[in-house]
Amino acid sequence: MGTLGAILKHPVDIYPLLKLRMAAKHAEKQIPPEPHWAFCYSMLHRVSRSFALVIQQLGTELRNAVCIFYLVLRALDTVEDDTSIPTDVKVPILLAFHRHIYDRDWHFSCGTKDYKVLMDQFHNVSTAFLELGEGYQEAIEDITKKMGAGMAKFILKEVESIDDYDEYCHYVAGLVGLGLSKLFHASGLEDLAPDSLSNSMGLFLQKTNIIRDYLEDINEIPKSRMFWPREIWSKYVNKLEDLKYEENSVKAVQCLNDMVTNALIHMDDTLKYLSELRDPAIFRFCAIPQIMAIGTLAMCYNNVDVFRGVVKMRRGLTAQVIHQTKTMADVYGAFFDFSCMLKSKVDNSDPNAVKTLSRLEAAQKSCRESGALNKRKSYIIRNEPRYIPVLKNPQRERIERAAIGRTLKASQYGQHTARTPGIGSKNKMINPHRNVAP
Ligand code: D61
Ligand code: MG
């Protein structure tokens, strides 16, 4: 659906979208004068407008560190993701990347579009990196080294077991969580969070990405990329790619639901991590992507469209999340509501139904016990939705938001975009910091 069509269908989106556009314009105006910093911030705006927006609220010192942390890892990931680079060239670059960031003359051309510009002009990032405080530099180097080594390991190895899956997600996203917690601590604004909680923050986001991006990754040219663990998909099909064929729809959706159920394990840690943050800007920076993740999981669950195109949250809904996430009560509210939406989609005949429901109910219990649900006005669930299998009738599941007197259909939460197979995109949605260009 085009932008205009989407807006006409959801007029409530207009205000948050406008507000978001204004905030983005404001953020763009604040680009620093030094050429290397100007490059870094404009790059950030180009690869991820929403990230640029939330990061803008952080104080200068922490903001610069997080910006460089992001660009360094995004560059590393561009190397990892470029399936046209031969393994024997790629692996040594991944392993040495943490040293390249100290070298203003180093660069390696790969990736496409904005990512190619980032790689070709990487000297700007290293120049800015070298201006950061030592504590920040060390944290960034340490995470880059570990992530590069982990990525290299998984270039040579497939994701077989669920343990492998958790290990891979630890390298590419859990480590970002650990690094961010270190940066927050180094800024003096937060206590140092326990590693296991920081790790879960990353795993929840990365698993959501991996679930949502099934088709894009499997269709990647010249080579498929496969992150769904064999231990899960082998219960449903003989080959991972079989999930995309229409005749396997039932099995595919069961497998998808299994993957979503696996991701839900991290909800508890995520809530705990967020509840311990003190600084309001850091809180928003961390909370918004997590809400987007549970929203995306709710959209993907039991949804065969994951195997046909990209399922993502509407821009307008994303804009609403960005503006409505200010306190822990907002997070509990959103987690509660999206869990409710998920629960309404669980089909009792699904092989994992009991497990899925028990994870959702545990999360809802935490939200309720926080005592914060009563304090908010919106998102009060009036009646438990009836079960109607999504494959048969996607229109009929619903959540009622009594306080605003409006009924939101589950299908209204998102949009489904048919994609051209084989075009690897660097614009996948949930990457918290990369979507939402209003
Ligand atoms: C709080 C706030 C943000 C957090 C967090 C805690 C914990 C972890 C993360 C963000 C990282 C989540 C990554 C989820 C998105 N996945 C990817 O982008 C994949 O690449 C992973 C390696 C590069 C990570 C770059 C990154 C991302 C977000 C950051 C950050 C660095 C630094 C600071 C803040 C946020 C994925 O990318 C491809 C794609 O999505 O198109 C992939 O290759 O699998
Ligand atoms: Mg990658």
Side-chain angles (χ1 to χ4, degrees), residues 369-401:
E369 283 172 358
S370 74
L373 291 182
N374 315 326
K375 290 184 194 140
R376 71 210 172 101
K377 288 204 189 85
S378 58
Y379 302 113
I380 296 166
I381 307 301
R382 195 191 279 152
N383 49 357
E384 291 290 306
R386 289 165 295 157
Y387 149 67
I388 298 127
V390 149
L391 277 173
K392 288 182 200 140
N393 191 344
Q395 301 298 323
R396 290 179 55 197
E397 316 145 84
R398 56 188 58 191
I399 293 177
E400 288 190 22
R401 297 166 102 188

Side-chain angles (χ1 to χ4, degrees), residues 77 80-81 151 168 172 225:
D77 183 53
E80 190 213 20
D81 288 357
M151 285 172 165
Y168 175 75
V172 301
R225 320 188 61 227

Side-chain angles (χ1 to χ4, degrees), residues 118-404:
L118 171 67
M119 298 312 290
D120 286 340
Q121 312 275 320
F122 194 75
H123 64 93
N124 289 303
V125 181
S126 12
T127 303
F129 169 77
L130 291 165
E131 288 177 13
L132 297 176
E134 217 174 295
Y136 293 124
Q137 284 187 11
E138 277 167 17
I140 296 173
E141 178 189 351
D142 174 55
I143 299 299
T144 308
K145 184 176 178 181
K146 290 174 178 156
M147 190 183 290
M151 285 172 165
K153 178 174 175 182
F154 277 90
I155 296 287
L156 307 164
K157 172 184 161 39
E158 286 199 359
V159 181
E160 301 275 349
S161 63
I162 295 174
D163 283 347
D164 291 344
Y165 180 49
D166 282 8
E167 189 184 346
Y168 175 75
C169 293
H170 164 72
Y171 295 137
V172 301
L175 284 170
V176 179
L178 267 67
L180 283 171
S181 294
K182 246 193 213 167
L183 298 181
F184 300 158
H185 182 59
S187 76
L189 294 167
E190 298 288 351
D191 292 339
L192 185 60
D195 284 356
S196 67
L197 296 187
S198 306
N199 188 53
S200 296
M201 290 284 284
L203 261 60
F204 193 54
L205 301 179
Q206 184 64 20
K207 288 184 174 181
T208 303
N209 258 19
I210 287 177
I211 292 168
R212 185 205 52 197
D213 294 342
Y214 165 84
L215 190 66
E216 206 163 71
D217 289 335
I218 206 92
N219 287 337
E220 186 73 39
I221 286 174
K223 222 168 66 200
S224 286
R225 320 188 61 227
M226 299 193 259
F227 302 113
W228 289 33
R230 179 188 297 269
E231 190 178 336
I232 292 183
W233 60 255
S234 63
K235 290 190 265 174
Y236 307 94
V237 280
N238 295 323
K239 288 198 302 273
L240 182 59
E241 68 188 65
D242 291 348
L243 295 174
K244 71 175 170 180
Y245 303 118
E246 226 169 299
E247 65 267 27
N248 300 327
S249 291
V250 172
K251 288 284 171 200
V253 168
Q254 290 177 349
C255 181
L256 168 65
N257 295 348
D258 203 334
M259 291 288 290
V260 173
T261 304
N262 169 282
L264 295 177
I265 300 178
H266 307 292
M267 277 193 297
D268 247 358
D269 280 357
T270 289
L271 288 171
K272 180 112 186 44
Y273 181 98
L274 294 173
S275 71
E276 288 182 359
L277 293 173
R278 292 187 234 247
D279 181 79
I282 293 179
F283 174 80
R284 277 170 49 78
F285 174 81
C286 293
I288 291 167
Q290 302 293 325
I291 296 181
M292 300 283 297
I294 188 159
T296 304
L297 290 175
M299 297 237 9
C300 289
Y301 185 85
N302 222 21
N303 185 350
V304 75
D305 288 342
V306 170
F307 304 99
R308 310 281 176 262
V310 173
V311 174
K312 55 188 184 188
M313 272 170 50
R314 285 186 349 254
R315 264 186 201 165
L317 189 61
T318 304
Q320 284 184 41
V321 170
I322 291 179
H323 296 301
Q324 283 169 20
T325 305
K326 298 211 163 62
T327 67
M328 205 49 213
D330 300 324
V331 172
Y332 287 127
F335 268 64
F336 187 87
D337 288 355
F338 283 120
S339 299
C340 211
M341 176 178 164
L342 264 158
K343 265 168 82 181
S344 76
K345 295 174 82 179
V346 178
D347 173 341
N348 288 325
S349 66
D350 185 276
N352 293 288
V354 173
K355 215 200 251 174
T356 313
L357 288 170
S358 91
R359 288 189 184 159
L360 290 167
E361 272 149 23
Q364 289 192 316
K365 190 164 170 264
S366 311
C367 294
R368 250 188 244 109
E369 283 172 358
S370 74
L373 291 182
N374 315 326
K375 290 184 194 140
R376 71 210 172 101
K377 288 204 189 85
S378 58
Y379 302 113
I380 296 166
I381 307 301
R382 195 191 279 152
N383 49 357
E384 291 290 306
R386 289 165 295 157
Y387 149 67
I388 298 127
V390 149
L391 277 173
K392 288 182 200 140
N393 191 344
Q395 301 298 323
R396 290 179 55 197
E397 316 145 84
R398 56 188 58 191
I399 293 177
E400 288 190 22
R401 297 166 102 188
I404 38 179

